[in-house]
Amino acid sequence: MSDTVHRPLIAVTVGRDLPDRPSVLRLTENYVRVLTTAGAIPIVIVPGIDTAAVQYVMERVDGLLLPGGIGAPDPHPRHFGEDPRPETVIDTDLDALEIAAIHRAVRLGMPVLGICRGCQILNVALGGSLIQHLEPGDVSHLPGLPLDAEAHELRLEDGSRLAGLSGTRLLRVNSLHHQAIARPAPALRVVGRAEDGVVEAVESADPDRWITGVQYHPEELTSQPAHRRLFEDFISCSARYAADRDQERTVSA
C-alpha cells in the first residue's frame, strides 16, 4: 500500500485576486510548498460552491488552512455589525466559503490554521470583531517589505502552543496587513501581540483543540525552525485527527 494514504488531506480556501483581477483565483505557491514539505496533500476549495458542498469536502479532509497574502480581501464587516470603510475590499463568496468551512471544521474537531486574512476570518466566524483599518503608528504593519523580511516583534504568552513550538516568547515576524483582531471570539484567546499591542496570534481557548490564527506569514519564514514547527505540528495533529476518525468509522461499521 502506498504511503500516500497516510498523508493528511488539508483543505485550502482560495479567493479571487481582488480588486484588479476578479476572474482569477489566487493562492501563493509557498502555501502548497510548506504543506507538501510537512507531509500533507493540499486540496483547494473555491468560492461559489454551496454550503452542502463545503460540508461534503470538510467531512473528507483532515485539516483546514485559511490563507492570506498580497491581494487578499477583507472579511465583510457586516459579520460583526459594522459598515465597510473606504479601504475595505470585500469578497462575499470567499467569506461564505470560509465561514462554512470553519463552522464545519470546528464542529468536527478538526485542526484549523488561519494566516493573515485567515486569522481574521477565523475570529469573525467564531463571533469576534476586527479593526477595519490600522492607522500609522510606531509599528508598521503594512511596510511594503519583501515577505521574508522581519518587520516587528511578536511577544507570545507563556504556556501558549506557539511559545512551546517556537521555544521562545519573543519572535521577529514579517507583516502585510491593514486590519487586525479587535474583540477576540469567545472560543479564542490572544497569545501574541506586536510591540504596539496589536493582536498577532490567537489559539483555541480549549487547550485540547488545535485552532491557531497568526496575523503574520510563517509560510514565508520556514527557513527558521520556530516558524517551520508551526506547520509541522499542524500537519501532525491533522494526521492524528485522520487516524482517530478512521478508527471511529471502523468501529461503528
Side-chain angles (χ1 to χ4, degrees):
M1 184 178 294
S2 170
D3 287 341
T4 303
V5 298
H6 302 293
R7 297 167 62 185
L9 303 177
I10 305 299
V12 182
T13 54
V14 175
R16 299 182 178 92
D17 191 2
L18 298 177
D20 297 325
R21 299 190 299 169
S23 63
V24 175
L25 296 174
R26 172 201 47 80
L27 179 66
T28 303
E29 184 179 8
N30 273 348
Y31 287 113
V32 176
R33 176 190 54 79
V34 73
L35 290 174
T36 55
T37 299
I41 301 173
I43 304 295
V44 171
I45 52 176
V46 299
I49 62 175
D50 58 45
T51 300
V54 175
Q55 293 178 350
Y56 180 88
V57 173
M58 296 307 298
E59 288 166 2
R60 287 158 177 79
V61 298
D62 312 310
L64 172 63
L65 173 64
L66 308 156
I70 297 171
D74 306 311
H76 200 302
R78 70 185 179 199
H79 297 300
F80 47 92
E82 296 182 12
D83 295 324
R85 285 180 49 130
E87 303 88 353
T88 305
V89 177
I90 296 165
D91 183 343
T92 55
D93 286 343
L94 180 58
D95 284 355
L97 168 68
E98 292 187 324
I99 290 172
I102 291 165
H103 287 169
R104 195 60 179 170
V106 169
R107 183 174 180 180
L108 292 168
M110 179 184 298
V112 180
L113 174 59
I115 294 174
C116 197
R117 173 205 154 86
C119 177
Q120 296 165 10
I121 195 67
L122 175 64
N123 185 62
V124 168
L126 297 180
S129 67
L130 302 177
I131 300 169
Q132 285 197 55
H133 188 68
L134 293 166
E135 300 298 337
D138 294 336
V139 175
S140 177
H141 292 278
L142 193 63
L145 297 170
L147 270 180
D148 60 354
E150 297 172 347
H152 61 75
E153 290 182 351
L154 171 64
R155 300 171 180 178
L156 297 170
E157 292 292 324
D158 190 28
S160 64
R161 182 184 298 274
L162 277 171
L165 291 171
S166 304
T168 180
R169 290 182 56 195
L170 184 63
L171 291 174
R172 296 287 301 179
V173 298
N174 51 13
S175 190
L176 186 69
H177 63 105
H178 80 107
Q179 297 196 330
I181 289 175
R183 183 185 70 254
L188 300 174
R189 69 183 186 108
V190 175
V191 298
R193 295 180 183 270
E195 303 99 306
D196 58 359
V198 169
V199 175
E200 293 278 335
V202 292
E203 296 176 0
S204 173
D206 179 353
D208 294 328
R209 297 292 302 272
W210 207 107
I211 301 175
T212 300
V214 295
Q215 190 58 74
Y216 53 100
H217 284 271
E219 79 282 1
E220 301 287 344
L221 301 171
T222 53
S223 61
Q224 302 176 35
H227 299 296
R228 187 169 62 249
R229 284 194 289 266
L230 172 61
F231 291 100
E232 292 170 346
D233 194 55
F234 171 54
I235 299 309
S236 176
C237 288
S238 297
R240 288 198 296 272
Y241 166 83
D244 291 344
R245 179 200 57 209
D246 292 347
Q247 184 176 18
E248 289 176 3
R249 288 176 178 175
T250 299
V251 171
S252 62

mmCIF file with all atom_site columns, all heavy atoms in Angstrom, residues 228-243:
data_model
loop_
_atom_site.group_PDB
_atom_site.id
_atom_site.type_symbol
_atom_site.label_atom_id
_atom_site.label_alt_id
_atom_site.label_comp_id
_atom_site.label_asym_id
_atom_site.label_entity_id
_atom_site.label_seq_id
_atom_site.pdbx_PDB_ins_code
_atom_site.Cartn_x
_atom_site.Cartn_y
_atom_site.Cartn_z
_atom_site.occupancy
_atom_site.B_iso_or_equiv
_atom_site.pdbx_formal_charge
_atom_site.auth_seq_id
_atom_site.auth_comp_id
_atom_site.auth_asym_id
_atom_site.auth_atom_id
_atom_site.pdbx_PDB_model_num
ATOM 1   N N   . ARG A 1 228 ? 8.749   26.955 11.009 1.00 0.00 ? 228 ARG A N   1
ATOM 2   C CA  . ARG A 1 228 ? 8.539   25.662 10.349 1.00 0.00 ? 228 ARG A CA  1
ATOM 3   C C   . ARG A 1 228 ? 7.794   24.692 11.263 1.00 0.00 ? 228 ARG A C   1
ATOM 4   O O   . ARG A 1 228 ? 6.936   23.928 10.811 1.00 0.00 ? 228 ARG A O   1
ATOM 5   C CB  . ARG A 1 228 ? 9.885   25.083 9.934  1.00 0.00 ? 228 ARG A CB  1
ATOM 6   C CG  . ARG A 1 228 ? 9.787   23.827 9.085  1.00 0.00 ? 228 ARG A CG  1
ATOM 7   C CD  . ARG A 1 228 ? 11.121  23.462 8.479  1.00 0.00 ? 228 ARG A CD  1
ATOM 8   N NE  . ARG A 1 228 ? 12.139  23.154 9.485  1.00 0.00 ? 228 ARG A NE  1
ATOM 9   C CZ  . ARG A 1 228 ? 13.215  23.914 9.734  1.00 0.00 ? 228 ARG A CZ  1
ATOM 10  N NH1 . ARG A 1 228 ? 13.411  25.026 9.059  1.00 0.00 ? 228 ARG A NH1 1
ATOM 11  N NH2 . ARG A 1 228 ? 14.094  23.561 10.642 1.00 0.00 ? 228 ARG A NH2 1
ATOM 12  N N   . ARG A 1 229 ? 8.094   24.740 12.561 1.00 0.00 ? 229 ARG A N   1
ATOM 13  C CA  . ARG A 1 229 ? 7.452   23.814 13.506 1.00 0.00 ? 229 ARG A CA  1
ATOM 14  C C   . ARG A 1 229 ? 5.954   24.048 13.624 1.00 0.00 ? 229 ARG A C   1
ATOM 15  O O   . ARG A 1 229 ? 5.206   23.134 13.966 1.00 0.00 ? 229 ARG A O   1
ATOM 16  C CB  . ARG A 1 229 ? 8.125   23.900 14.874 1.00 0.00 ? 229 ARG A CB  1
ATOM 17  C CG  . ARG A 1 229 ? 9.482   23.194 14.927 1.00 0.00 ? 229 ARG A CG  1
ATOM 18  C CD  . ARG A 1 229 ? 9.943   23.006 16.360 1.00 0.00 ? 229 ARG A CD  1
ATOM 19  N NE  . ARG A 1 229 ? 10.323  24.260 16.984 1.00 0.00 ? 229 ARG A NE  1
ATOM 20  C CZ  . ARG A 1 229 ? 11.568  24.743 17.018 1.00 0.00 ? 229 ARG A CZ  1
ATOM 21  N NH1 . ARG A 1 229 ? 12.559  24.065 16.469 1.00 0.00 ? 229 ARG A NH1 1
ATOM 22  N NH2 . ARG A 1 229 ? 11.831  25.888 17.617 1.00 0.00 ? 229 ARG A NH2 1
ATOM 23  N N   . LEU A 1 230 ? 5.484   25.271 13.365 1.00 0.00 ? 230 LEU A N   1
ATOM 24  C CA  . LEU A 1 230 ? 4.043   25.530 13.391 1.00 0.00 ? 230 LEU A CA  1
ATOM 25  C C   . LEU A 1 230 ? 3.335   24.655 12.366 1.00 0.00 ? 230 LEU A C   1
ATOM 26  O O   . LEU A 1 230 ? 2.311   24.022 12.666 1.00 0.00 ? 230 LEU A O   1
ATOM 27  C CB  . LEU A 1 230 ? 3.768   27.014 13.109 1.00 0.00 ? 230 LEU A CB  1
ATOM 28  C CG  . LEU A 1 230 ? 2.299   27.404 12.911 1.00 0.00 ? 230 LEU A CG  1
ATOM 29  C CD1 . LEU A 1 230 ? 1.477   27.105 14.160 1.00 0.00 ? 230 LEU A CD1 1
ATOM 30  C CD2 . LEU A 1 230 ? 2.189   28.878 12.532 1.00 0.00 ? 230 LEU A CD2 1
ATOM 31  N N   . PHE A 1 231 ? 3.863   24.598 11.144 1.00 0.00 ? 231 PHE A N   1
ATOM 32  C CA  . PHE A 1 231 ? 3.256   23.777 10.103 1.00 0.00 ? 231 PHE A CA  1
ATOM 33  C C   . PHE A 1 231 ? 3.426   22.287 10.394 1.00 0.00 ? 231 PHE A C   1
ATOM 34  O O   . PHE A 1 231 ? 2.510   21.495 10.161 1.00 0.00 ? 231 PHE A O   1
ATOM 35  C CB  . PHE A 1 231 ? 3.852   24.133 8.740  1.00 0.00 ? 231 PHE A CB  1
ATOM 36  C CG  . PHE A 1 231 ? 3.453   25.495 8.262  1.00 0.00 ? 231 PHE A CG  1
ATOM 37  C CD1 . PHE A 1 231 ? 4.315   26.567 8.401  1.00 0.00 ? 231 PHE A CD1 1
ATOM 38  C CD2 . PHE A 1 231 ? 2.203   25.709 7.686  1.00 0.00 ? 231 PHE A CD2 1
ATOM 39  C CE1 . PHE A 1 231 ? 3.946   27.830 7.972  1.00 0.00 ? 231 PHE A CE1 1
ATOM 40  C CE2 . PHE A 1 231 ? 1.820   26.971 7.250  1.00 0.00 ? 231 PHE A CE2 1
ATOM 41  C CZ  . PHE A 1 231 ? 2.702   28.034 7.397  1.00 0.00 ? 231 PHE A CZ  1
ATOM 42  N N   . GLU A 1 232 ? 4.571   21.912 10.898 1.00 0.00 ? 232 GLU A N   1
ATOM 43  C CA  . GLU A 1 232 ? 4.797   20.507 11.218 1.00 0.00 ? 232 GLU A CA  1
ATOM 44  C C   . GLU A 1 232 ? 3.828   20.024 12.277 1.00 0.00 ? 232 GLU A C   1
ATOM 45  O O   . GLU A 1 232 ? 3.291   18.904 12.185 1.00 0.00 ? 232 GLU A O   1
ATOM 46  C CB  . GLU A 1 232 ? 6.246   20.304 11.666 1.00 0.00 ? 232 GLU A CB  1
ATOM 47  C CG  . GLU A 1 232 ? 7.255   20.520 10.549 1.00 0.00 ? 232 GLU A CG  1
ATOM 48  C CD  . GLU A 1 232 ? 8.695   20.549 11.029 1.00 0.00 ? 232 GLU A CD  1
ATOM 49  O OE1 . GLU A 1 232 ? 8.905   20.669 12.261 1.00 0.00 ? 232 GLU A OE1 1
ATOM 50  O OE2 . GLU A 1 232 ? 9.600   20.483 10.187 1.00 0.00 ? 232 GLU A OE2 1
ATOM 51  N N   . ASP A 1 233 ? 3.567   20.852 13.274 1.00 0.00 ? 233 ASP A N   1
ATOM 52  C CA  . ASP A 1 233 ? 2.628   20.473 14.331 1.00 0.00 ? 233 ASP A CA  1
ATOM 53  C C   . ASP A 1 233 ? 1.202   20.423 13.794 1.00 0.00 ? 233 ASP A C   1
ATOM 54  O O   . ASP A 1 233 ? 0.423   19.529 14.143 1.00 0.00 ? 233 ASP A O   1
ATOM 55  C CB  . ASP A 1 233 ? 2.730   21.460 15.492 1.00 0.00 ? 233 ASP A CB  1
ATOM 56  C CG  . ASP A 1 233 ? 2.056   20.946 16.757 1.00 0.00 ? 233 ASP A CG  1
ATOM 57  O OD1 . ASP A 1 233 ? 2.403   19.835 17.212 1.00 0.00 ? 233 ASP A OD1 1
ATOM 58  O OD2 . ASP A 1 233 ? 1.179   21.650 17.290 1.00 0.00 ? 233 ASP A OD2 1
ATOM 59  N N   . PHE A 1 234 ? 0.847   21.382 12.942 1.00 0.00 ? 234 PHE A N   1
ATOM 60  C CA  . PHE A 1 234 ? -0.477  21.391 12.311 1.00 0.00 ? 234 PHE A CA  1
ATOM 61  C C   . PHE A 1 234 ? -0.705  20.110 11.516 1.00 0.00 ? 234 PHE A C   1
ATOM 62  O O   . PHE A 1 234 ? -1.751  19.454 11.641 1.00 0.00 ? 234 PHE A O   1
ATOM 63  C CB  . PHE A 1 234 ? -0.588  22.626 11.409 1.00 0.00 ? 234 PHE A CB  1
ATOM 64  C CG  . PHE A 1 234 ? -1.804  22.670 10.528 1.00 0.00 ? 234 PHE A CG  1
ATOM 65  C CD1 . PHE A 1 234 ? -3.077  22.549 11.061 1.00 0.00 ? 234 PHE A CD1 1
ATOM 66  C CD2 . PHE A 1 234 ? -1.664  22.859 9.159  1.00 0.00 ? 234 PHE A CD2 1
ATOM 67  C CE1 . PHE A 1 234 ? -4.210  22.605 10.240 1.00 0.00 ? 234 PHE A CE1 1
ATOM 68  C CE2 . PHE A 1 234 ? -2.776  22.926 8.338  1.00 0.00 ? 234 PHE A CE2 1
ATOM 69  C CZ  . PHE A 1 234 ? -4.046  22.785 8.880  1.00 0.00 ? 234 PHE A CZ  1
ATOM 70  N N   . ILE A 1 235 ? 0.279   19.716 10.713 1.00 0.00 ? 235 ILE A N   1
ATOM 71  C CA  . ILE A 1 235 ? 0.137   18.516 9.893  1.00 0.00 ? 235 ILE A CA  1
ATOM 72  C C   . ILE A 1 235 ? 0.137   17.263 10.770 1.00 0.00 ? 235 ILE A C   1
ATOM 73  O O   . ILE A 1 235 ? -0.634  16.319 10.531 1.00 0.00 ? 235 ILE A O   1
ATOM 74  C CB  . ILE A 1 235 ? 1.262   18.445 8.846  1.00 0.00 ? 235 ILE A CB  1
ATOM 75  C CG1 . ILE A 1 235 ? 1.191   19.648 7.908  1.00 0.00 ? 235 ILE A CG1 1
ATOM 76  C CG2 . ILE A 1 235 ? 1.172   17.146 8.052  1.00 0.00 ? 235 ILE A CG2 1
ATOM 77  C CD1 . ILE A 1 235 ? -0.157  19.903 7.290  1.00 0.00 ? 235 ILE A CD1 1
ATOM 78  N N   . SER A 1 236 ? 0.960   17.242 11.801 1.00 0.00 ? 236 SER A N   1
ATOM 79  C CA  . SER A 1 236 ? 0.991   16.097 12.706 1.00 0.00 ? 236 SER A CA  1
ATOM 80  C C   . SER A 1 236 ? -0.351  15.919 13.408 1.00 0.00 ? 236 SER A C   1
ATOM 81  O O   . SER A 1 236 ? -0.872  14.792 13.497 1.00 0.00 ? 236 SER A O   1
ATOM 82  C CB  . SER A 1 236 ? 2.105   16.286 13.743 1.00 0.00 ? 236 SER A CB  1
ATOM 83  O OG  . SER A 1 236 ? 2.107   15.238 14.682 1.00 0.00 ? 236 SER A OG  1
ATOM 84  N N   . CYS A 1 237 ? -0.938  17.001 13.875 1.00 0.00 ? 237 CYS A N   1
ATOM 85  C CA  . CYS A 1 237 ? -2.248  16.922 14.545 1.00 0.00 ? 237 CYS A CA  1
ATOM 86  C C   . CYS A 1 237 ? -3.342  16.550 13.553 1.00 0.00 ? 237 CYS A C   1
ATOM 87  O O   . CYS A 1 237 ? -4.287  15.839 13.914 1.00 0.00 ? 237 CYS A O   1
ATOM 88  C CB  . CYS A 1 237 ? -2.560  18.243 15.238 1.00 0.00 ? 237 CYS A CB  1
ATOM 89  S SG  . CYS A 1 237 ? -1.561  18.541 16.702 1.00 0.00 ? 237 CYS A SG  1
ATOM 90  N N   . SER A 1 238 ? -3.237  17.014 12.302 1.00 0.00 ? 238 SER A N   1
ATOM 91  C CA  . SER A 1 238 ? -4.206  16.629 11.275 1.00 0.00 ? 238 SER A CA  1
ATOM 92  C C   . SER A 1 238 ? -4.114  15.135 10.988 1.00 0.00 ? 238 SER A C   1
ATOM 93  O O   . SER A 1 238 ? -5.137  14.465 10.775 1.00 0.00 ? 238 SER A O   1
ATOM 94  C CB  . SER A 1 238 ? -3.956  17.436 9.998  1.00 0.00 ? 238 SER A CB  1
ATOM 95  O OG  . SER A 1 238 ? -4.158  18.818 10.210 1.00 0.00 ? 238 SER A OG  1
ATOM 96  N N   . ALA A 1 239 ? -2.909  14.583 10.980 1.00 0.00 ? 239 ALA A N   1
ATOM 97  C CA  . ALA A 1 239 ? -2.733  13.148 10.766 1.00 0.00 ? 239 ALA A CA  1
ATOM 98  C C   . ALA A 1 239 ? -3.348  12.351 11.918 1.00 0.00 ? 239 ALA A C   1
ATOM 99  O O   . ALA A 1 239 ? -3.980  11.304 11.690 1.00 0.00 ? 239 ALA A O   1
ATOM 100 C CB  . ALA A 1 239 ? -1.257  12.815 10.613 1.00 0.00 ? 239 ALA A CB  1
ATOM 101 N N   . ARG A 1 240 ? -3.181  12.836 13.151 1.00 0.00 ? 240 ARG A N   1
ATOM 102 C CA  . ARG A 1 240 ? -3.781  12.148 14.302 1.00 0.00 ? 240 ARG A CA  1
ATOM 103 C C   . ARG A 1 240 ? -5.304  12.240 14.245 1.00 0.00 ? 240 ARG A C   1
ATOM 104 O O   . ARG A 1 240 ? -6.000  11.275 14.573 1.00 0.00 ? 240 ARG A O   1
ATOM 105 C CB  . ARG A 1 240 ? -3.265  12.747 15.611 1.00 0.00 ? 240 ARG A CB  1
ATOM 106 C CG  . ARG A 1 240 ? -1.820  12.389 15.909 1.00 0.00 ? 240 ARG A CG  1
ATOM 107 C CD  . ARG A 1 240 ? -1.481  12.603 17.365 1.00 0.00 ? 240 ARG A CD  1
ATOM 108 N NE  . ARG A 1 240 ? -1.585  13.999 17.752 1.00 0.00 ? 240 ARG A NE  1
ATOM 109 C CZ  . ARG A 1 240 ? -0.592  14.867 17.638 1.00 0.00 ? 240 ARG A CZ  1
ATOM 110 N NH1 . ARG A 1 240 ? 0.575   14.489 17.130 1.00 0.00 ? 240 ARG A NH1 1
ATOM 111 N NH2 . ARG A 1 240 ? -0.740  16.126 18.022 1.00 0.00 ? 240 ARG A NH2 1
ATOM 112 N N   . TYR A 1 241 ? -5.807  13.406 13.825 1.00 0.00 ? 241 TYR A N   1
ATOM 113 C CA  . TYR A 1 241 ? -7.254  13.554 13.662 1.00 0.00 ? 241 TYR A CA  1
ATOM 114 C C   . TYR A 1 241 ? -7.778  12.535 12.651 1.00 0.00 ? 241 TYR A C   1
ATOM 115 O O   . TYR A 1 241 ? -8.803  11.878 12.884 1.00 0.00 ? 241 TYR A O   1
ATOM 116 C CB  . TYR A 1 241 ? -7.582  14.976 13.204 1.00 0.00 ? 241 TYR A CB  1
ATOM 117 C CG  . TYR A 1 241 ? -8.987  15.152 12.690 1.00 0.00 ? 241 TYR A CG  1
ATOM 118 C CD1 . TYR A 1 241 ? -10.048 15.369 13.568 1.00 0.00 ? 241 TYR A CD1 1
ATOM 119 C CD2 . TYR A 1 241 ? -9.266  15.077 11.321 1.00 0.00 ? 241 TYR A CD2 1
ATOM 120 C CE1 . TYR A 1 241 ? -11.345 15.511 13.098 1.00 0.00 ? 241 TYR A CE1 1
ATOM 121 C CE2 . TYR A 1 241 ? -10.559 15.215 10.855 1.00 0.00 ? 241 TYR A CE2 1
ATOM 122 C CZ  . TYR A 1 241 ? -11.591 15.439 11.742 1.00 0.00 ? 241 TYR A CZ  1
ATOM 123 O OH  . TYR A 1 241 ? -12.878 15.572 11.265 1.00 0.00 ? 241 TYR A OH  1
ATOM 124 N N   . ALA A 1 242 ? -7.079  12.369 11.531 1.00 0.00 ? 242 ALA A N   1
ATOM 125 C CA  . ALA A 1 242 ? -7.491  11.422 10.498 1.00 0.00 ? 242 ALA A CA  1
ATOM 126 C C   . ALA A 1 242 ? -7.482  9.994  11.032 1.00 0.00 ? 242 ALA A C   1
ATOM 127 O O   . ALA A 1 242 ? -8.411  9.212  10.776 1.00 0.00 ? 242 ALA A O   1
ATOM 128 C CB  . ALA A 1 242 ? -6.574  11.533 9.287  1.00 0.00 ? 242 ALA A CB  1
ATOM 129 N N   . ALA A 1 243 ? -6.438  9.647  11.775 1.00 0.00 ? 243 ALA A N   1
ATOM 130 C CA  . ALA A 1 243 ? -6.338  8.288  12.316 1.00 0.00 ? 243 ALA A CA  1
ATOM 131 C C   . ALA A 1 243 ? -7.458  8.004  13.317 1.00 0.00 ? 243 ALA A C   1
ATOM 132 O O   . ALA A 1 243 ? -8.068  6.926  13.295 1.00 0.00 ? 243 ALA A O   1
ATOM 133 C CB  . ALA A 1 243 ? -4.977  8.088  12.964 1.00 0.00 ? 243 ALA A CB  1
#
